């Protein structure tokens, strides 16, 4: 899910929570604070490019979301902690009113990090109180939405702070962690039949509205790789002149290559022929067995072509993933890094969840029958449906419980600060 | 088809031409010259924005295409008219070598317009000679491709010269023409069934490779409008504050509105509440009965939402158009303007071809099983398949014989100098 | 002195210090810390525009200056506190090596504010130790230079933090202070004779090399105003349409007006016809009796023309100021704001020092016979001598002891975050 | 005189012309046409960068000047040839009204070159008729001004068309001409005494108002080179790493070097170690004996420093030039190129006029006592007096009769399409 968008829940699918709701609320909130804990006030204030938001801003914006959409309308007599926060911490809700310009979030020094900590505590108390009392059922739906929203921002926070810390020439360590070994099994293909398939969310659990309606698609027979593209394959692509061969690239991608924007995956550095990469654990040598990460769509597409394959459509991906349990290298505070495959290649599609988001060939567009949700939080459900591609699967910084087979993340094709990689697909000759 | 791309023919579908081939070749070439005839050397040299190419350049580039791909490889002993033309008039073929920067085509004063005229004559003679003699069958396929390529540039030439002439505050007239009257019947809807449909080119006539393979798609039931959106509907959208209401717009479109880029369809001018528009026949009052033209994708999408509808996908469009004959307001040198509907609304989908290209909700992406064609001209078949939307149908400046139900034109969502409009679609509540 | 340049001392004019030298060193250093004391870590890290440097950077850069030019060459066995600081805190010394890009000083989060505090303490100790021991005389000259350098940065720190704090919509208060009353006496003129005059530094005290050599200039008879232009006069200029009348402006200034860059002095805000201005004491109503501040050269020039006068040359200014004692509204931690005149107009040129830097009509160029100083610190003495104008006099944020009649400050004509104002001059009709 | 500014004549110094006035008027006008004669309509329409104007525009603008300031106010019953020309061909006169945006002069295709030719003829007839009849004396002054204005544009036309033609990779020849041989004598120095000098225009002939009033300056003793810097000296500078040594450059100049903007004089090309330059006679090998041309101020300053010297101030230049007759390599249609010195070095300052404009160290600022002229044409006399440097002497494309010792040309320091070079000066050690 990108920094600009928070598609919203389908309220009818939600029922009022009961026991454990406050605990879950606090657990999600506490994880955000745990993610910010290693960061100084300076680290939390910087915006290293327009797409990045300061940590402080993420912590406050996710709090404002509860204040604006839960407490304001539903907590009788609630007074905002600070009226100026509505200006500072609204992301893009036109109906809420004017707001701090996105690209200038990093020049705001007040409120301070300490004041934001206080803001979080006060709003948390108020929400917890509201939940402890009898309350209308839409409160539960909105709190549920707010928690998924906050989980999205937990991933954004880690993407963003990685970009911030990378600006320091000293390669600071966000969190020291183990760098596990593993191997990269030879890529194998898994076949799927053509014909009618069903994709999209149709169950009763939480989902964003852009995941539905569940609907029929027609697919030709296809094969999909049993693991993501690895760093080793990217190194081979580079050694074969991949970044100098126009015939491998989309026209827009080639323009980015020629301008010097694309010369290797983001965060890679080549010193004397040895490639290192900046990670949340500091700078490390590139491990050829790990899934390639921080690729733009253009790079993912070019590498796929170089490997005689293509990227899957999101429908193909979802069909391939549908029967797999949601496990994998999801947010683990000890790792925060794509991991090499440690298991022998099973017959089947592996490393689906966690590690890296996988670019698909599909543009981010509405499903047939998609309807914008009613009400305030649904004001702009589809407004990001142009100029972006869908990514699937979740990454090593996606919180567990936040991802599923139908989840549609989306980013512009240039974006590389996402933990984004690629999985190959190919047609079946018939 | 946009200014950047020339998808190429599927050679196997072509057979050597026989009688009439030279005549057809010369007929297409002569139409280009007829289109340039009203223009002075000054008019033909200007590039009014990076997307626009000078008329002189179109005339020379379409000629270079025959020199590079037909005469060079297939006419024994052929010597290029001028070696520097390969640099000047290559559009984007990386394999052919370095070339004049696209955005700087307007600063080239040599060769002159007269020299380009001479260049055209000499290449035409050589091609005609080659066709008159025994020649390999791929020559016919390449000439056929060259003619379709030139037809594309005939439309681009008219789009571009309209933009060039519009820079003059004196509103010059490219060609005086009649401004026919007509009416705008109430919009009606035509229904189509859901289920399996077949789209894409599968016949034996000429097509670009991006039109195939023919394949199955699954559609939900839908309805499509029996005519394009009219100027009258755009005027009502504007009167209702359409350009000031963020909730109607995609996020990227709203950013373009806020920057002042989008305030009305391109070429419109509002003086004292009366809207006029610049046409190839000079400045005229906006006719509410004509199809709206020169809309960006963002405007088309916003107007559709405001009308309680949406844009069709390209598959829906093609299914709706499939059974209609290719007739309509295609390139007619007396008109060069979208025309009001002059017939009583027939039960069926009308004004499909000609008038305006119709933005679809579909991103421009490869069909299942699409394969880049082999060989020089096919070098970059799919390289424009990112960041663009598909338009269907053809406009009042599309040459007859150049368009068909499967034809996929494509442009970035911001593009407005295209003769681009919109047709509405909507879901069928089931 | 602008953010880019530190012209250096003429070493021959300096003698080794004796008693009190360490005390003076520590006093200057402590003032820097006192200026930073009200600022949070967040405040100290932000760069609100490319010309601004973070407070943290100023504190570290002035420290690095002592490490690089005093301790490194002259303290036996000295080891840098952190080798990366040479990269981070070099401002523009090409010979020292590569350095953090100026416009990206605000994305550096490490070292932290606390680490910079530690860095300052450790370098101070080392310098104090060096001064306490026998040392070569050039050490004294370099320490003296380092202290003047740090005083320049004290003013820059205040300019910059004012700009940073102004980005917060909450108008934070850097330091609450009194807002003294006063009156604005009618402007009067003081005449000076034409003919030969001597300007430039020729004494034995400290000066920057750009202040010399002392030399002869020929002036025509002139008159100069007895006080700076006031806010009241700027308000009258605005009321008379000054920002809409092209005939009052230099061409470059008018372009800045038309682009929307210049609509009132920087930091002014017009709500319902009442003008307020942002100060280091928070937002306050504009006081018409105070000297106008935060004017660009273009505005100063346009206002002078509107008042039937012109800006003085730097030679005229220096001749007029030469006999006046250096007193006035210089850096006073209780005020930090231009002050209204509180004394009845004396016969003579008043409010010369402090309050505001006064734009002169003179471009910043070398004096006749100017020679770049030898050695490391003098590497770039004249390299800023293009595209800038000279300002004279010192402002309310210039440290006492740092300014004199010959002092040449300089900034590009667009600069407005300087505490810059204007004083009028005019020709004498003969 | 730069493209943006036309300082105006001091009317009191002019008397009504009598015999020969019409002939002189037509002679200047005909020279403009002769300069345009080798150019096609395409050549005349292009604007290759914002500073350049199309030839067609120069021809029309100089004509509009007579229409606007002479015929409109003074020819009874005069009707403008075309009302839209006032919009198209006003350069920057705010009082005259809105006008074509400067950077978009190249997108105007109407009026055509032929219509401009007609416009010139009709205005010429009207002016000639007016001059043949009794007329107020200010008409003579305005015609005189219009002719000097047109002479300025003759030089601009040649500067601009050189830049336009240089965009063609085919190196077209504007006018074939001889490439005379010659030698470059060793540079020698000529000394001048310090003390009081008088500079500025004080005579009765025509001058622009920025050349006065004549006034006293005080100079230190100085020496000036007896010839301009040569290409040979630039080649030696380059061979010595001049473009890689930051210590030689002003800070702004070094930034331009680092951005890749400055790597050699404009129009130079290095192929395999041999330097060629584009000229109005086509591409030629760089002649080391010719004066260096197309230097920015930054390059002129850096080369002077590398040679152990500096640029002269404009006062020094004028004192050195004051007693020399105005002869030299001024506009000669057979040459249009700086020429090598062909005479043995005379004792004295040589090659003063023609060849190249010589950058001075002086910013373009008003002389003491300068007053804007009254009336329409004088509206903006001083409005270009910021951000530019003065050049002196005239170049090989300056019309004879247009230049004199007091003439102040001016351009921004980055400008290089001027025929601009450098002459060295140095202090006299006393």
């Amino acid at each position: 899910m990108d920094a600009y968008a928070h598609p919203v829940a389908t309220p009818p699918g939600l029922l009022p929570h009961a026991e454990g709701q406050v605990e879950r609320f606090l657990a999600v909130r506490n994880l955000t604070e745990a993610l910010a804990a290693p960061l100084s006030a300076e680290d939390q204030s910087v915006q290293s490019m327009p797409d990045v938001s300061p940590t402080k801003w993420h912590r406050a914006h996710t709090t404002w979301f509860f204040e604006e959409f839960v407490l304001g309308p539903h907590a009788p007599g609630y007074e905002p902690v600070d009226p100026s926060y509505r200006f500072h911490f609204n992301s893009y809700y036109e109906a809420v009113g004017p707001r701090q310009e996105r690209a200038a979030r990093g020049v705001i020094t007040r409120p301070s990090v300490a004041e934001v900590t206080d803001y979080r505590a006060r709003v948390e108390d108020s929400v917890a109180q509201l939940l402890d009392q009898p309350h209308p059922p839409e409160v539960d739906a909105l709190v549920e939405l707010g928690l998924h929203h906050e989980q999205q921002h937990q991933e954004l926070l880690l993407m963003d702070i990685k970009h911030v810390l990378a600006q320091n020439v000293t390669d600071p360590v966000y969190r020291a962690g183990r760098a596990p070994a593993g191997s990269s099994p030879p890529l194998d293909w898994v076949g799927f039949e053509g014909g009618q398939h069903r994709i999209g969310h149709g169950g009763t659990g939480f989902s964003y509205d852009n995941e539905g309606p569940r609907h029929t698609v027609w697919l030709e027979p296809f094969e999909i790789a049993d693991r993501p593209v690895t760093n080793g394959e990217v190194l081979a692509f580079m050694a074969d002149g991949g970044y100098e061969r126009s015939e491998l690239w989309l026209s827009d991608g080639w323009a980015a290559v020629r301008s010097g924007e694309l010369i290797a995956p983001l965060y890679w550095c080549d010193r004397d022929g040895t490639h290192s990469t900046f990670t949340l654990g500091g700078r490390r040598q590139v491990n050829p067995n790990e899934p390639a990460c921080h690729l733009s769509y253009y790079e993912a597409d070019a590498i796929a072509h170089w490997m005689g394959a293509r990227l899957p459509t999101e429908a193909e991906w979802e069909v391939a993933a549908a029967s797999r349990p949601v496990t994998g290298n999801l947010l683990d505070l000890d790792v925060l890094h794509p991991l090499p495959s440690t298991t022998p290649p099973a017959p089947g599609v592996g490393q689906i969840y966690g590690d890296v988001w996988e670019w698909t060939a599909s543009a981010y567009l509405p499903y047939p029958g998609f309807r914008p949700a009613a009400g305030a939080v649904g004001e702009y459900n589809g407004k990001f449906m142009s100029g972006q591609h869908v990514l699937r699967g979740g990454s090593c910084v996606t919180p567990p419980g936040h991802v599923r087979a139908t989840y549609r993340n989306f980013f512009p094709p240039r974006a590389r600060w996402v933990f984004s990689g690629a999985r190959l697909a190919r047609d079946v000759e018939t």
Side-chain angles (χ1 to χ4, degrees), chain A residues 266-335:
Chain A
L266 185 64
Y267 299 127
W268 283 33
C269 179
D270 177 3
R271 287 208 186 107
D272 309 320
T274 302
H275 290 89
S276 66
T277 184
F278 180 73
T279 75
L280 287 167
R283 186 159 290 280
R284 292 182 183 167
Q285 200 170 335
V286 167
N287 179 348
N289 294 314
E290 289 170 1
C293 193
H294 298 298
L295 301 180
S296 65
Y297 176 77
Y298 302 127
E299 288 161 305
D301 180 80
I303 292 166
H305 276 89
W306 174 78
M307 293 179 76
R310 59 172 174 81
L311 300 178
T313 65
E314 64 170 325
E316 289 171 338
W317 191 98
E318 188 170 328
V319 165
S323 59
R324 317 289 303 178
V326 182
T327 58
N329 179 27
L330 291 159
L331 180 59
D332 169 348
L333 290 184
D334 283 343
V335 183

Side-chain angles (χ1 to χ4, degrees), chain A residues 25 66 70-71 123-132 143:
Chain A
F25 170 74
F66 286 105
V70 177
L71 297 176
V123 167
E124 268 166 37
D125 284 351
S126 298
V127 172
Q129 277 183 31
L130 179 64
L131 293 176
D132 273 343
V143 168

Side-chain angles (χ1 to χ4, degrees), chain A residues 143-344:
Chain A
V143 168
E144 181 73 14
L145 176 62
L147 292 178
H148 283 271
H149 171 255
E150 183 143 353
Q151 285 183 312
Q152 290 181 317
H153 278 275
Q154 288 166 354
E155 175 155 4
L156 288 167
L157 185 158
L158 289 166
M159 286 162 53
D160 290 357
I161 199 64
K162 180 171 182 175
H163 195 268
V164 165
L165 294 177
Q167 308 307 310
N168 293 284
V169 291
T170 48
D171 289 332
V173 173
Y174 167 76
R175 181 187 293 266
R178 53 191 169 94
S183 64
S184 169
L187 187 153
D188 206 355
W189 298 93
V190 184
F192 291 84
E193 289 186 9
Q196 286 185 45
H197 292 273
R198 297 281 290 172
I199 68 165
H201 197 269
T204 55
F206 178 87
S207 70
Y208 291 109
D209 61 357
N210 64 1
E211 299 173 51
R214 190 159 174 83
H215 63 287
T216 300
V217 293
W218 184 276
L219 299 181
E220 302 300 314
F222 67 98
E223 293 181 332
I224 201 164
D226 65 345
R227 59 157 176 76
V229 169
T230 62
N231 284 335
E233 285 156 348
V234 173
L235 287 165
F237 172 80
M238 291 170 73
D240 195 36
Y243 281 93
E244 289 100 47
R245 290 169 54 185
S246 59
E247 73 273 19
L248 297 170
W249 294 79
L250 287 163
S251 182
D252 289 347
W254 184 241
V257 169
R258 288 184 56 170
S259 76
E261 181 182 333
L262 302 182
I263 54 170
L266 185 64
Y267 299 127
W268 283 33
C269 179
D270 177 3
R271 287 208 186 107
D272 309 320
T274 302
H275 290 89
S276 66
T277 184
F278 180 73
T279 75
L280 287 167
R283 186 159 290 280
R284 292 182 183 167
Q285 200 170 335
V286 167
N287 179 348
N289 294 314
E290 289 170 1
C293 193
H294 298 298
L295 301 180
S296 65
Y297 176 77
Y298 302 127
E299 288 161 305
D301 180 80
I303 292 166
H305 276 89
W306 174 78
M307 293 179 76
R310 59 172 174 81
L311 300 178
T313 65
E314 64 170 325
E316 289 171 338
W317 191 98
E318 188 170 328
V319 165
S323 59
R324 317 289 303 178
V326 182
T327 58
N329 179 27
L330 291 159
L331 180 59
D332 169 348
L333 290 184
D334 283 343
V335 183
L336 299 174
H337 194 68
L339 290 186
S341 175
T342 52
T343 54

Side-chain angles (χ1 to χ4, degrees), chain A residues 7-55:
Chain A
V8 292
T10 325
L14 293 176
L15 294 174
H17 281 263
E19 276 185 64
Q21 190 186 20
V22 170
E23 288 68 23
R24 177 155 176 269
F25 170 74
L26 293 176
V28 171
R29 297 282 295 172
N30 289 345
L31 177 56
T32 302
E33 295 301 271
L35 295 177
L39 301 170
S40 68
E42 296 91 323
D43 294 332
Q44 293 197 34
S45 300
V46 163
Q47 180 171 34
S48 51
M49 65 167 176
D51 287 330
V52 158
S53 296
T55 301

